[in-house]
Amino acid sequence: DYPTPDHPDPADNLRMAERFIDRWQGVSPLITPALFLHSPYTCSSGTLRTLKDVARHHGTLYCIHLAETREETETIRERYGTTPVRYLLKLGVLDEHTLAVHVNWLDDEEIAILSDHGVRVSHCAESGMKLAAGVSPVPAFLKRGVTVGLGTDGSASNNDLDLFREMDTAAKLHKVRAMDPTVMDARTVLKMATLEGARCLNLSGRTGSLAVGKAADLVLVDLGNKPHLAPLYNPWSQMVYAASGADVATVLINGRIVMKDRKLLTLDPAAVIADVEALAARIRPSA
């Protein structure tokens, strides 16, 4: 409900959403359009409901920041006399095609609401830490059967966007919060970064695990001759607590090798970096 350079008239958001889905749905198995609404406090109730109707009509995912900060919960309580989760419940937008991002400030009843309605959660641990926004109660979500995947959020609130580091942070953050070193074990966290993430995006039928009939989406990690990865006792722990994105040697997307031996095969990194630097020069304030 705010004007943007590519969307100057917020009143046109319904038609824009329809055009966006029509443009991208069915174009490629590698492209899955979804609708994203920033949050309950920046979108009107009409926008929240109407865009959910569009998402349901097209069978697309409906993503929204939810209960990210304490201030958000206070704002929603002042406006509507309730909490963000209960507000979205009242609007009828919570279901198995809703992906709630962050979800830091909620009580046990609200966790049950998300579970009962099949809502999925994107956990962005490093973003929540950098912004001091809060910590999502992921162990409680998992206990209630809520599907939780790992996210990075954007580079403004998480500079590295390295999902390996995100795994490490998420595992350790919840251990210290619970004062229990057995919470969020490595196998659970690695699954959150793979299959559970695919489930969050309604893509588990084609990716997220290795199975006959699924896409060959793979990252191959080089474990050889690296002091920080030797010795290898437990592969799950090694991936979560020791490896980083820099250890990925080869990447396949849908069976196509896009990086081999740390060399990108489909992009020219120098050209991409030059483009980024040019854009940064336009954004960076002059001295």
Side-chain angles (χ1 to χ4, degrees), residues 51-128:
L51 271 295
K52 183 62 178 180
D53 291 339
V54 172
R56 283 179 172 142
H57 176 74
H58 292 277
T60 61
L61 202 62
Y62 177 95
C63 312
I64 187 168
H65 289 153
L66 180 61
E68 179 180 3
T69 65
R70 191 198 302 268
E71 291 75 18
E72 176 188 337
T73 63
E74 293 171 351
T75 297
I76 295 298
R77 193 176 295 279
E78 290 173 1
R79 288 183 188 174
Y80 308 111
T82 187
T83 62
V85 171
R86 293 182 178 89
Y87 174 55
L88 293 190
L89 176 66
K90 183 178 180 180
L91 294 180
V93 302
L94 298 181
D95 58 30
E96 67 277 9
H97 297 294
T98 299
L99 178 63
V101 185
H102 300 299
V103 204
N104 297 329
W105 297 90
L106 71 171
D107 57 35
D108 290 342
E109 181 181 334
E110 291 172 292
I111 293 174
I113 289 171
L114 298 182
S115 175
D116 292 344
H117 288 78
V119 176
R120 286 82 186 274
V121 170
S122 175
H123 177 41
C124 304
E126 291 187 357
S127 171

Side-chain angles (χ1 to χ4, degrees), residues 158-185:
N158 183 354
N159 301 64
D160 61 60
L161 305 186
D162 184 337
L163 202 58
F164 282 84
R165 288 182 56 173
E166 199 73 39
M167 287 193 295
D168 177 72
T169 299
K172 292 174 180 175
L173 173 64
H174 293 286
K175 294 180 196 304
V176 72
R177 192 183 192 208
M179 295 305 293
D180 181 354
T182 68
V183 168
M184 296 280 280
D185 63 274

